[in-house]
Amino acid sequence: MWQRRALADIPGVPWRNGDGYTKVIAEGQTEAGFQWRLSVADILKDGSFSIFRGWRRFFALLGQGSLTLSEKNGNWSHTVSGSGRPFQFSGEDVVHSSDVHVSLQALNLMVRNNVMWKQSVEFLLKEAAFTVEEISDGQIFLIPSTGTWNLHEGKSKVRIMPGEIWSSSAQTFSQTLLTQEMPESSLFFVKI
């Protein structure tokens, strides 16, 4: 069974560096502590990212717009476009965002580099109809980026739109078909 949350209903928490706020969608914890976090942050201007030693970061933009991420020592630079493929980098990298010309929403997945936690991670951009097969463990998140989608489960059909977060755990999951109402619709699929 899928659960819906409105992004607007999730409270913001301050960034580690104090330069903004993020909305935590979900976090995963084991006996060893937090292992992952999925969140959406508002990016209003150029700025530095908080450092998370021992973590991997997956970063994408919801909606339209773009920005450039650059590692401090010049080891890499990457332009991320709205509804584009996620970009992955180390949480230890000192990263600065630039070329922010409009307010942007960033979708972030952070996963701890931990030999004790071997959960597989998927963070994919979907731009065409797809089926979500049954999973044995973990959680699935659907985050519409542009346009409206239809979630078909059994005989029921529900519209899902940007600004909504849909989730399901392995214990409550059944096969689901996702279709676009418009060809240009895009959606992020996250499996943890």
Side-chain angles (χ1 to χ4, degrees), residues 15 77 95 157:
W15 291 353
S77 180
V95 177
K157 178 174 101 172

Side-chain angles (χ1 to χ4, degrees), residues 60-65 80-86 105 125-127 144-147 184-188:
L61 292 178
L62 298 174
Q64 301 301 316
V80 180
S81 298
S83 298
R85 302 208 185 290
Q105 283 193 314
L125 174 67
K126 299 288 189 172
E127 299 176 287
S145 182
T146 59
E184 64 276 4
S185 298
S186 61
L187 174 144
F188 287 101

